[in-house]
Amino acid sequence: MDQELYSKERSASLDLLLRFQRLLVSKLYPADCVGQVPNTYSPDLLGVGSLLKKYTALLCTHIGDILPVATSIACTSHRHFAEVSRVVDGDLTGILLPELVVSIVLLLSKNAGLMQEAGAIPLLAGLLEHLDRFNHLAPGKERDDNEDLAWPGIMGSFFTGQSSRNNEEVTLIRKADLENHNKDGGFWTVIDGKVYDIKDFQTQSLTGSSIL
């Protein structure tokens, strides 16, 4: 409800689109029902999924037209980037897209089969290149990327320079050692020939051990 304070600054048409988008998501969100046959969906539900795909296609077309122009202006200077970002933030790109992406991820986690049937997700993938080009113009991008990747104890050494890496004692871990360690309840994994202990990260992860 706090976000509704900002709705006064939005146009009536944009506010209507946001409400329509939320309505589509709410109709697709699975209700707790007993006795439903897996992977069978009612015609009404498939119709809403088809409508979501059409809506996403139109939204992506608009954003796909806007972002290249925004990028060409924003690359002029940091001041231009800040001004363009403010405009984009109040456009469909900044208001509808973030909530749509989060909603689709939520729906995907609840009912992956229905979302695959709807076919809206591949449409969003077409925006990744445009979004990536625009975001790469942001001041401090490299610092932010390093902070996002620098997981404590895992990736932090990538950004501390070669000197600290050369001073570390290298231990050779055989495949049998790794398998025996994991059988005893450990959680070692191999990435690019290096062994990492992600036991602590396993307890924090929401994806489950099989995906890790």
Side-chain angles (χ1 to χ4, degrees):
M1 295 301 295
D2 295 338
Q3 297 295 331
E4 296 303 321
L5 297 174
Y6 298 97
S7 63
K8 297 179 181 179
E9 302 176 3
R10 296 195 296 258
S11 65
S13 58
L14 190 56
D15 195 59
L16 183 62
L17 281 173
L18 182 59
R19 292 175 183 273
F20 175 70
Q21 177 176 297
R22 291 173 177 175
L23 179 62
L24 287 176
V25 172
S26 67
K27 293 294 184 182
L28 289 172
Y29 193 83
D32 294 331
C33 54
V34 180
Q36 182 179 1
V37 180
N39 299 325
T40 59
Y41 311 107
S42 66
D44 291 343
L45 203 58
L46 293 175
V48 177
S50 178
L51 197 57
L52 177 65
K53 179 180 180 180
K54 182 65 175 178
Y55 169 82
T56 305
L58 293 172
L59 182 63
C60 290
T61 298
H62 171 80
I63 296 175
D65 292 338
I66 292 294
L67 280 180
V69 178
T71 301
S72 65
I73 300 174
C75 68
T76 307
S77 66
H78 290 336
R79 182 179 178 183
H80 284 79
F81 177 84
E83 188 64 24
V84 170
S85 297
R86 186 187 64 81
V87 174
V88 170
D89 193 46
D91 185 59
L92 303 182
T93 308
I95 295 177
L96 300 180
L97 183 62
E99 187 171 314
L100 178 63
V101 171
V102 172
S103 299
I104 287 182
V105 170
L106 174 64
L107 291 172
L108 186 63
S109 67
K110 292 292 183 180
N111 197 332
L114 178 59
M115 294 309 297
Q116 291 176 356
E117 193 79 25
I121 298 176
L123 299 173
L124 290 171
L127 294 179
L128 290 178
E129 185 176 351
H130 295 304
L131 290 167
D132 195 50
R133 287 178 180 173
F134 183 80
N135 289 332
H136 269 69
L137 299 176
K141 174 193 70 68
E142 294 182 359
R143 182 196 67 237
D144 293 340
D145 285 349
N146 290 351
E147 290 177 353
D148 289 341
L149 290 173
W151 299 349
I154 299 180
M155 299 291 287
S157 61
F158 278 49
F159 307 104
T160 56
Q162 294 291 334
S163 57
S164 61
R165 187 181 302 175
N166 293 336
N167 293 332
E168 295 177 355
E169 182 180 353
V170 179
T171 302
L172 180 63
I173 299 177
R174 298 172 301 173
K175 183 178 179 181
D177 297 332
L178 184 142
E179 292 175 348
N180 290 332
H181 178 82
N182 289 347
K183 287 179 181 178
D184 294 336
F187 209 130
W188 287 356
T189 185
V190 180
I191 304 175
D192 292 336
K194 296 180 177 61
V195 179
Y196 297 93
D197 187 354
I198 59 173
K199 181 69 176 179
D200 293 338
F201 182 71
Q202 177 193 10
T203 60
Q204 304 173 16
S205 173
L206 301 177
T207 59
S209 299
S210 59
I211 297 181
L212 283 177

